[in-house]
């Protein structure tokens, strides 16, 4: 069996950003003040709070975040279901030989699913559960990588050989969004007591979302605070 | 090792459709005739031809095709990169236990990749190539399914157990588009001598696209003919 | 001064539709049941209610409504700010000579604006208010139409001559959407006590929205009921 | 009659930008190189040229341009028909009293329309044509502004009073796009001998597009050169 590499975390690194709270306020003020950029009587923070509360979303779109995400394929699959205001470029199994790097949950990941579809919760498994998961994943990953490499060695096309590879394999992609599309993503892919609507993200995409939220909070503190204050609903 | 089922074809079945050439002409004529629906001096076929040639795309959007696609995960991954004018709902490995149905290319599938990234071509492999591919895929698929089932048996969450499953596993999804977004998909996911721009789709998504094109041709013969006549470029 | 025609209502006529509640349920069930179309234990109505409550929006997108709208330009301007899931084709002042049909509010239209930006309310004016509005609008409309016609008569291009025409002029356009994008439009362009979030549409686009809502309710009664029950928030 | 202000030019001022050629190449290389950012054997310029030729559009989306546009309403109307990859915030006639600033074409603007719908060309008018246009526009504009102001003075709501105002009135808006959506806009809204597909923009939106193209060329010289070299077709 081939030697595999494993990793238990995912990363969403901010690589480019053009975003700040002042631009949100400027875009909103064009409605009431026209081309004049002079401030109106409502300061930036209060204006953003009003926009969030009454769900005026468009002023948040004149911003730009680009992340480089490294995560397993099943996370990329969920991420790329977000269409509006998102752009993606991903590593291709047709164009390059994929590395044998696989995801295995860490021992503190809740492994047992409780409840019904649409409202699952999760609880921790025993050490035996963890061991059984790890050995099954490692076994399947190793078999898959061996099969993949053997096909490549025989000259079979990468796009065919990759069919053997599991959705636990790591991939890399650039993901670009604006503050509005990011808030929509966060509303669905994070879990928080402040949320007005329930969300049930898989832990691994939540790890991506949490890192994106930290970048968002840093670039746009007023917008982030208003997002939280108004129930984490995207405007 | 678990018993696996295999299949060598994919399907894209038309389940709903509201589309015809007359609506394209009506939508275009609103520009020149306003609310009056009386025909202008250009008949439908000639009008559609003109719209395609000069790339007036919006009149093609007032149409609707819904397909039920059954294809491996790597096809769904490519399909869902199409964002504008597409809607999707897919089988979820978090909400249901996935069936052990896997894709293995048929013996007439070209297995050998020739040329450079961005301009690959493919040629047929020998019987030995086919045998080596088949045994590797079947081996990896069987291992993966066994690992998956063993984890489920141990009570581990479906969303964790599925990490072992390969991108060659079948999935099902509804995909809805309009004639414009469909033409854009076809321009990239089919191969044709009439194409003005080169395209290099993987064979398996081309199989999906070919079936969608047959439905499109049947519902909108004039639009399809104009699409072909003008180099298979989406307007 | 040229003879003008006036109208005090707007129309949004349903011209094509492919939409029903059953398709929403089918699209949602593909997640939990895969390709099998057999009903799960949750009936359609309850399933739609659950989707709306937890804001699972994508199953509502496999539907299609096309409207022919006849409304003043200022309404079309607001309407076409809706981008996601909407398609438009409009009468063109470059391609045809525009008709002299103009909008004048009817006598029951509230003419006086009260309150601050973002939270206006309106109250009825006196007969004198109505008379003053009517004479001003009719005067400006007549002048504009005369100027337009005089320029056309002199051979000046339609695209230049139209610059004189007011945003109160009627235009016609086809607008196509799906049930999800329609609900988003309705959440912003109608006023209702059931709304969880406040909305402040101009009366004239509300008249368009009310007609669209009637078509929506008729085609998709369960979806409409769930939309209302959950605060008229688009999922 | 009220005093009006007139202007014969439009402006599209770049207010924010995050865009360069290197990011396009990086996004493209993630396909072939994965997370490694090391250069492949194709330099940036050649890689961008290849992407443009073969119409790989997504790598161009990780960029961001925000413009403040000041132009007449009929230009804003055409601009906002561009939905994918565009965000807008515009001055509102509901929230503020609009200024009496109007557009009158300059004397070098071709005023006479020749040919058929979909393939118009324009030629210069005589001095008499110009004078007739100017007096008609100024007359209609003045009447409209007087009517507007008289209604406001009587306490009638701004959203009603504005119905009298013409599409030749100036408005202001922020418009944000990425390099891909910008190229699509340029392909339709500029006229050039290098264009592979014909385009017939109205002169006034072409003036907006020309200014945007200058900003684009400056930020992304390789991308712009490839766009021109490949027939000004958006990838």
């Amino acid at each position: 069996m081939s030697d595999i590499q494993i990793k238990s975390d995912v990363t969403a690194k901010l690589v480019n950003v053009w975003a700040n709270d002042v631009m949100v306020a400027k875009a909103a003020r064009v409605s009431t003040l026209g081309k004049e950029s002079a401030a109106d009587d409502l300061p930036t923070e209060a204006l953003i709070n009003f926009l969030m509360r009454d769900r005026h979303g468009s002023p948040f779109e004149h911003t730009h975040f680009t992340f480089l995400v490294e995560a397993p394929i099943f996370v990329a699959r969920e991420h790329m279901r977000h269409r509006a205001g998102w752009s993606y470029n991903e590593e291709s199994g047709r164009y390059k030989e994929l590395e044998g790097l696989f995801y295995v949950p860490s021992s503190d990941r809740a492994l047992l699913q409780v409840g019904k579809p649409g409202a699952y919760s999760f609880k921790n498994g025993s050490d035996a559960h963890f061991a059984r998961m790890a050995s099954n994943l490692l076994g399947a990953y190793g078999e898959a990588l061996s099969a993949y490499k053997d096909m490549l060695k025989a000259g079979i096309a990468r796009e065919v050989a990759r069919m053997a590879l599991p959705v636990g394999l790591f991939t890399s992609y650039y993901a670009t969004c604006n503050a509005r599309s990011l808030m929509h993503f966060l509303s669905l892919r994070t879990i928080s007591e402040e949320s007005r609507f329930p969300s049930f993200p898989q832990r691994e995409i939540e790890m991506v979302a949490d890192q994106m939220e930290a970048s968002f909070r840093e670039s746009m503190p007023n917008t982030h605070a208003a997002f939280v204050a108004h129930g984490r609903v995207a405007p």
Side-chain angles (χ1 to χ4, degrees), chain A:
Chain A
M1 238 171 43
S2 294
D3 281 350
I4 63 170
Q5 296 172 270
I6 66 167
K7 222 168 96 169
S8 300
D9 63 341
V10 304
T11 52
K13 199 181 110 192
L14 184 67
V15 293
N16 305 321
V17 59
W18 200 106
N20 60 55
D21 291 319
V22 171
M23 184 61 212
V24 177
K26 265 174 124 168
R29 283 183 185 124
V30 81
S31 301
T32 48
L33 300 174
K35 72 188 169 186
E36 303 156 53
S37 60
D40 59 13
D41 54 358
L42 205 56
T44 294
E45 192 176 340
L47 177 53
I48 286 175
N49 205 52
F50 158 76
L51 296 170
M52 196 72 71
R53 192 200 68 194
D54 279 9
R55 306 195 74 204
H56 296 288
S58 56
F60 297 97
E61 295 181 23
H62 307 280
T63 52
H64 166 102
F65 297 84
T66 300
F67 298 94
L68 177 58
V69 181
E70 294 178 46
I73 288 173
F74 66 86
V75 168
R77 294 245 290 149
E78 293 188 329
H79 200 155
M80 293 183 192
R81 296 298 301 277
H82 293 259
R83 296 157 295 167
W86 283 92
S87 298
Y88 305 100
N89 277 92
E90 188 187 356
E91 198 175 337
S92 165
R94 301 184 69 206
Y95 293 163
K96 63 167 295 227
E97 183 177 336
L98 300 171
E99 270 181 282
L101 175 63
F102 299 88
Y103 178 79
V104 177
S106 65
S107 56
D108 58 352
R109 207 274 193 204
L111 292 180
L112 307 182
Q113 191 168 345
V114 187
K116 297 205 309 175
Y120 290 124
S121 63
F122 286 85
K123 59 175 195 179
N124 288 325
S126 62
D127 287 357
H129 283 118
F130 181 76
R132 190 133 163 207
M133 172 205 72
S135 81
N136 271 302
L137 287 183
L138 294 176
Y141 290 167
E143 259 331 294
L145 187 62
S146 293
Y148 178 64
K149 290 199 165 169
D150 189 65
M151 286 186 272
L152 292 185
K153 204 169 143 193
I156 288 165
R158 286 189 287 273
E159 68 176 32
V160 174
R162 68 160 169 179
M163 295 173 193
L165 294 172
V167 297
L169 184 78
F170 269 82
T171 186
S172 313
Y173 56 97
Y174 286 104
T176 291
C177 60
N178 61 52
R180 187 185 196 181
S181 53
L182 181 53
M183 286 188 277
H184 189 259
F185 179 82
L186 296 178
S187 73
L188 294 170
R189 306 298 185 180
T190 57
I191 297 174
S192 166
E193 293 189 351
E194 283 106 354
S195 291
R196 186 186 299 215
F197 295 103
S199 53
F200 305 97
Q202 181 155 350
R203 176 61 192 141
E204 285 74 20
I205 198 164
E206 193 193 5
M207 287 155 71
V208 169
D210 286 346
Q211 293 176 51
M212 290 184 167
E213 183 159 356
S215 297
F216 170 48
R217 188 191 303 114
E218 192 172 336
S219 295
M220 305 178 74
N222 291 342
T223 301
H224 182 264
F227 172 63
V228 172
H230 292 286
R232 301 179 66 86
V233 180

